[in-house]
Amino acid sequence: MWEVQLAGILETFLGGSFTLGFLTRPIAFILAGEMAVAYFQANFPLSFWPTANWGIPTVLYCFVFLYFMFAGAGPWSIDAMIARRAGNRV
């Protein structure tokens, strides 16, 4: 049962930080890994195909988090504000 509690903690706190755009790339990496583990623990034993084992949302979130891991947060994120502020000081 500890895995469900850990997933809840990760999704609550890291999800909030991800939404604000703070430390987006490392958080996206962690959340993509969480979604991959969730898929292989919960959905994969039912069937190989995501359409047959109700795993489409899990796979979708995994790939969305992977996208943000490589793309970054965007210009309105806290990460971008920190980068702009650090660039102005130099």
Side-chain angles (χ1 to χ4, degrees), residues 13-72:
F13 294 110
L14 296 184
S17 180
F18 180 82
T19 302
L20 294 174
F22 181 66
L23 298 174
T24 302
R25 291 176 190 235
I27 287 175
F29 176 73
I30 293 169
L31 292 177
E34 179 199 4
M35 289 293 109
V37 168
Y39 177 78
F40 284 110
Q41 284 185 348
N43 301 107
F44 186 75
L46 299 175
S47 173
F48 176 76
W49 303 106
T51 55
N53 64 15
W54 301 299
I56 293 175
T58 310
V59 172
L60 176 70
Y61 281 123
C62 183
F63 283 111
V64 166
F65 287 133
L66 284 175
Y67 168 76
F68 278 106
M69 185 178 75
F70 290 107

